[in-house]
Amino acid sequence: MEKMFKIFVYEEGEPPLFHYGSCKDIYSMEGLFMSFMEQDTRYRTWDPNEAHVYFLPFSVVMILEHLFDPIIRDKAVMERTVVDYVGIISNKYPFWNRSIGVDHFMLSCHDWGPRATWYVKELYYNSIRVLCNANTSEYFNPKKDASFPEINLVTGEITNLTAHLPPSNRSILAFFAGNLYHGKIRALVFKHWKGKDNDIQIYEKLPVGVSYSEMMKKSRFCLCPSGHEVASPRIVEAIYTECVPVIISQNYVLPFSDVLRWESFSIQVAVSEIANLKNILMGISEERYDRMVENVKKVQKHFLVNDPPKRYDVFNMIIHSVWLRRLNVRIYS
């Protein structure tokens, strides 16, 4: 892939809606990928005729930030922007019409990322959609679409993201802190476990003076329940602190699951088993737990953000996911 794969980034469109995105907070990966792709010299080609795929550089986050009125709530602003953009590049270049969008990709970490593709049927049905919100019940298709992780870079800083304590210093069995009113799965976690058992510490708001990252470092397992949407930044936060992620979700295609064996470094708990959570975690042997922690350490590099990007980091994993979906498609001129 590193030797062969070439990506053409359409130059049409101007910041802030195109070629730009926020590089901090919960949607940081959308802006960071855009930024890295703009500066890339390994995969990016300026000759569209030698490209294997074509990137549509619109930012759903920026479209909503600059055009969406939270009072009027007219979602047509997203429709007009995406439809117009595909119209421009399909009229100017032959590549979209040649493949009916199959060798094109978009990327979004916003909850409405999938919605942005509804308005152009070829983009929705044919193109590679790289999404944080990788929900099969909302027609995410893992055969052609790619899941990538939600990473909450609160300040935008990408240094010192990882920290840990050895397993012997982790005194808390399981930990979660987050908004109760953020989807049905979280509500079930709070119902069954908040204030019920000292081994499973559940908070809507941490007490004053208690550090979120320190709590993760002190915990053997970090609960990662879905909110309103399937993706959760807590999965990566857990990996950064070498806390074994406990993923509680439905219909979620996990990031990079083409190549990562999630069962080797995380626990997946069905929603129907939330009431049995402690028994599930206590039933994991010390030997298996130690192996999982070691595997968390091994996969950490695949979720790290580097500037400039490094081999096997999150940027290159996203590129690899797109590469895999392009491999078995033959485009006829």
Side-chain angles (χ1 to χ4, degrees):
M1 180 191 81
E2 292 175 327
K3 294 179 180 179
M4 295 178 57
F5 198 34
K6 294 299 177 186
I7 300 170
F8 181 74
V9 181
Y10 286 111
E11 295 180 66
E12 286 66 30
E14 296 180 358
L17 305 187
F18 303 90
H19 304 278
Y20 176 78
S22 173
C23 295
K24 66 178 182 179
D25 295 330
I26 199 165
Y27 302 131
S28 62
M29 280 311 303
E30 184 172 315
L32 284 166
F33 182 86
M34 204 90 65
S35 174
F36 292 151
M37 199 68 252
E38 291 290 322
Q39 301 171 51
D40 182 71
T41 56
R42 179 187 294 275
Y43 304 110
R44 186 176 183 181
T45 177
W46 296 91
D47 180 0
N49 291 295
E50 72 171 16
H52 300 99
V53 293
Y54 302 82
F55 179 45
L56 304 167
F58 60 82
S59 169
V60 175
V61 173
M62 291 293 103
I63 291 169
L64 293 172
E65 181 175 322
H66 292 278
L67 300 182
F68 183 72
D69 188 313
I71 298 174
I72 299 173
R73 296 188 66 80
D74 179 15
K75 299 181 180 70
V77 297
M78 191 158 59
E79 176 181 3
R80 289 192 292 270
T81 305
V82 174
V83 170
D84 286 353
Y85 192 74
V86 173
I88 288 168
I89 61 102
S90 63
N91 283 317
K92 184 173 180 179
Y93 303 92
F95 310 107
W96 176 272
N97 295 324
R98 180 186 69 180
S99 70
I100 53 174
V102 168
D103 54 356
H104 287 60
F105 77 100
M106 57 77 69
L107 177 142
S108 177
C109 210
H110 197 280
D111 294 350
W112 288 4
R115 177 188 287 271
T117 68
W118 290 359
Y119 311 110
V120 180
K121 64 179 182 179
E122 296 87 355
L123 182 59
Y124 184 75
Y125 288 109
N126 300 343
S127 299
I128 301 166
R129 301 181 305 160
V130 185
L131 302 169
C132 286
N133 186 18
N135 187 343
T136 57
S137 72
E138 296 177 359
Y139 305 103
F140 179 90
N141 179 0
K143 291 182 179 179
K144 75 166 191 70
D145 299 328
S147 173
F148 77 113
E150 196 169 72
I151 301 178
N152 186 8
L153 297 175
V154 178
T155 65
E157 289 294 321
I158 61 172
T159 56
N160 302 316
L161 293 177
T162 60
H164 71 282
L165 288 175
S168 58
N169 289 6
R170 294 178 181 262
S171 57
I172 302 168
L173 177 65
F175 164 72
F176 172 79
N179 189 350
L180 161 61
Y181 303 103
H182 201 74
K184 296 178 180 179
I185 294 177
R186 285 196 194 178
L188 286 172
V189 172
F190 274 80
K191 175 185 174 182
H192 287 289
W193 294 108
K194 187 176 188 296
K196 303 290 179 67
D197 193 311
N198 287 335
D199 288 332
I200 299 182
Q201 299 200 17
I202 307 294
Y203 299 88
E204 187 168 9
K205 188 175 182 180
L206 284 171
V208 175
V210 176
S211 163
Y212 178 75
S213 61
E214 287 299 314
M215 288 294 288
M216 295 192 94
K217 286 190 283 185
K218 292 177 182 177
S219 302
R220 289 166 65 86
F221 298 96
C222 290
L223 306 185
C224 308
S226 291
H228 290 307
E229 302 296 347
V230 290
S232 169
R234 287 167 182 79
I235 295 174
V236 175
E237 290 167 350
I239 291 170
Y240 284 171
T241 53
E242 297 178 12
C243 180
V244 175
V246 179
I247 300 164
I248 311 172
S249 187
Q250 291 176 309
N251 309 307
Y252 182 30
V253 177
L254 290 162
F256 315 137
S257 50
D258 300 299
V259 292
L260 298 183
R261 292 178 55 248
W262 280 85
E263 67 275 12
S264 73
F265 62 91
S266 70
I267 303 294
Q268 296 183 49
V269 175
V271 173
S272 60
E273 289 293 314
I274 289 175
N276 197 36
L277 181 62
K278 184 173 181 179
N279 289 334
I280 292 170
L281 299 182
M282 293 293 289
I284 296 169
S285 69
E286 203 63 30
E287 181 183 0
R288 182 186 173 197
Y289 174 76
D290 288 342
R291 284 201 308 269
M292 296 183 87
V293 171
E294 288 304 310
N295 288 333
V296 167
K297 295 177 185 178
K298 290 177 182 177
V299 301
Q300 216 175 52
K301 63 184 177 183
H302 301 309
F303 297 89
L304 286 176
V305 181
N306 297 297
D307 187 8
K310 297 179 182 178
R311 295 185 81 187
Y312 310 118
D313 70 1
V314 68
F315 173 76
N316 281 279
M317 291 294 285
I318 295 170
I319 296 291
H320 184 254
S321 295
V322 175
W323 158 257
L324 288 179
R325 280 149 185 80
R326 176 63 180 83
L327 275 177
N328 295 322
V329 176
R330 184 172 183 179
I331 307 299
Y332 295 90
S333 59

